[in-house]
Amino acid sequence: VYLRNINFKFQFLGALEIFTKEALERYYEASGQCSQHVGHQGGEDYYMMACMDGIGVDHQTDFKLLNDKYAATGNCHDPWVVGFHFYKKVTSWNQCHDDAEKAAQASNMHFLQ
């Protein structure tokens, strides 16, 4: 199983790619099929998603894990977010992370430190 991670474009962005061990074992067994039949027009994230689908790996969906600036998810205040993407400046990334951490504390969720 792999995880579709955002409700944007093709629902799988490379900032947060999650695969089970079994999904990756299947990929290593059958990756030759992918390179023969899957194009690279969408970058490595599109390639991996299309490959996984093509070799029969199933997916699950959790659109709340990834905050993507381009997808305008704007969920820096969501304590469920685990990845913050595309913040080029350290201060911008830190602010988003801090906002999520404060939201987690307010909802009694705790980050590991």
Side-chain angles (χ1 to χ4, degrees), residues 39-60:
H40 294 275
Q41 67 275 13
E44 52 75 32
D45 46 6
Y46 178 81
Y47 176 86
M48 285 301 291
M49 182 196 72
C51 179
M52 290 290 171
D53 291 343
I55 61 175
V57 175
D58 199 6
H59 71 271
Q60 292 183 352

Side-chain angles (χ1 to χ4, degrees), residues 73-99:
T73 53
N75 53 358
C76 290
H77 295 89
D78 185 340
W80 195 249
V81 172
V82 298
F84 307 97
H85 183 252
F86 193 64
Y87 294 89
K88 292 237 182 219
K89 295 181 181 177
V90 172
T91 55
S92 298
W93 188 93
N94 283 341
Q95 182 62 55
C96 188
H97 176 269
D98 291 348
D99 290 345

Side-chain angles (χ1 to χ4, degrees), residues 9-53:
K9 291 190 177 183
F10 49 89
Q11 301 181 339
F12 186 73
L13 294 182
L16 181 68
E17 296 183 24
I18 301 172
F19 305 92
T20 62
K21 177 184 172 194
E22 293 80 9
L24 290 176
E25 287 173 346
R26 177 70 182 128
Y27 171 75
Y28 291 124
E29 292 169 0
S31 62
Q33 296 172 32
C34 296
S35 60
Q36 294 172 7
H37 301 290
V38 177
H40 294 275
Q41 67 275 13
E44 52 75 32
D45 46 6
Y46 178 81
Y47 176 86
M48 285 301 291
M49 182 196 72
C51 179
M52 290 290 171
D53 291 343

Side-chain angles (χ1 to χ4, degrees), residues 52-73:
M52 290 290 171
D53 291 343
I55 61 175
V57 175
D58 199 6
H59 71 271
Q60 292 183 352
T61 303
D62 190 336
F63 291 155
K64 293 187 75 167
L65 293 178
L66 178 61
N67 174 344
D68 187 88
K69 189 173 169 182
Y70 288 138
T73 53

